[in-house]
Amino acid sequence: MRAGRKPTEELPLLLDRLDTPIGEMLIVADREGNLRAVDWVDYETRMRRLLRLHYGEKGFRLESARNLNGLTHAIGRYFSGERTAIDNLPVRTGGTSFQRHVWRELRSIPCGTTVSYTQLAVQIGRPAAVRAVGLANGANPIGVVVPCHRVIGANGSLTGYGGGMERKSWLLEHEARAFLL
């Protein structure tokens, strides 16, 4: 989680804000241009708690910045209708190796499609780990870009989303429209 840094060394993280059709988004990246966290302004406290969990209480500092090596503009293009604008954005997260495995697999779910938690567990080669997959999905620090919103219940129902069900529904509809154009 803090690999490659001394325990007392602060990781400088850059914070930008983006107005989207579903609320203001917080975007956190490192100086190398890797996304570290994405969340909604109404969940800023949760995002900061997650950063402390991943990098330690004094393991990072947030600095305001604009466009974060083009990341903010790319995410803005996604919300403007260019659904593939976020597909290859660089990410670097904390988390356990299992969580990072699940998060990598989330990025393989094509835009405009969904999978169930069961399908996702099978895809990572752990068919009995459905609950653990769900927990990892819920702990994803880079929502939208690492598309946890594309995971649904086995019966096709929309299930929880850290940004709220209204946002999950909007994101899925937004992505589905790509196939109607």
Side-chain angles (χ1 to χ4, degrees):
M1 292 193 205
R2 288 180 236 162
R5 290 186 303 117
K6 298 174 187 164
T8 58
E9 186 180 341
E10 279 186 335
L11 175 66
L13 295 175
L14 307 173
L15 172 67
D16 199 3
R17 296 168 183 270
L18 175 68
D19 286 324
T20 77
I22 51 177
E24 187 177 5
M25 178 177 270
L26 302 169
I27 303 167
V28 177
D30 59 31
R31 290 181 190 244
E32 290 76 39
N34 299 298
L35 281 170
R36 296 289 186 135
V38 171
D39 214 331
W40 305 99
V41 73
D42 42 329
Y43 295 105
E44 185 169 357
T45 301
R46 173 184 66 195
M47 183 193 74
R48 288 177 182 269
R49 184 174 53 244
L50 184 71
L51 290 170
R52 285 191 302 274
L53 176 68
H54 286 239
Y55 305 111
E57 187 67 38
K58 298 194 185 290
F60 70 97
R61 75 176 176 282
L62 286 173
E63 305 168 1
S64 292
R66 299 295 305 151
N67 195 28
L68 310 179
N69 294 312
L71 297 171
T72 303
H73 286 167
I75 295 170
R77 289 195 322 270
Y78 164 85
F79 281 102
S80 294
E82 189 182 326
R83 280 129 187 117
T84 59
I86 61 173
D87 287 356
N88 296 309
L89 294 181
V91 300
R92 186 167 180 197
T93 60
T96 66
S97 61
F98 179 80
Q99 288 172 324
R100 289 190 310 272
H101 186 186
V102 170
W103 299 336
R104 277 190 304 275
E105 193 63 32
L106 288 172
R107 293 195 84 183
S108 74
I109 304 169
C111 182
T113 65
T114 58
V115 300
S116 70
Y117 292 98
T118 302
Q119 290 170 305
L120 188 56
V122 169
Q123 283 176 221
I124 66 164
R126 302 277 303 272
V130 175
R131 185 173 293 235
V133 164
L135 291 171
N137 192 58
N140 172 21
I142 307 177
V144 180
V145 175
V146 176
C148 52
H149 61 277
R150 296 179 189 160
V151 183
I152 59 173
N155 64 0
S157 64
L158 295 187
T159 56
Y161 178 66
M165 293 304 289
E166 300 81 20
R167 285 184 176 124
K168 180 172 185 159
S169 180
W170 188 94
L171 290 165
L172 292 173
E173 289 172 17
H174 174 66
E175 293 178 355
R177 284 192 295 273
F179 298 104
L180 300 176
L181 301 175

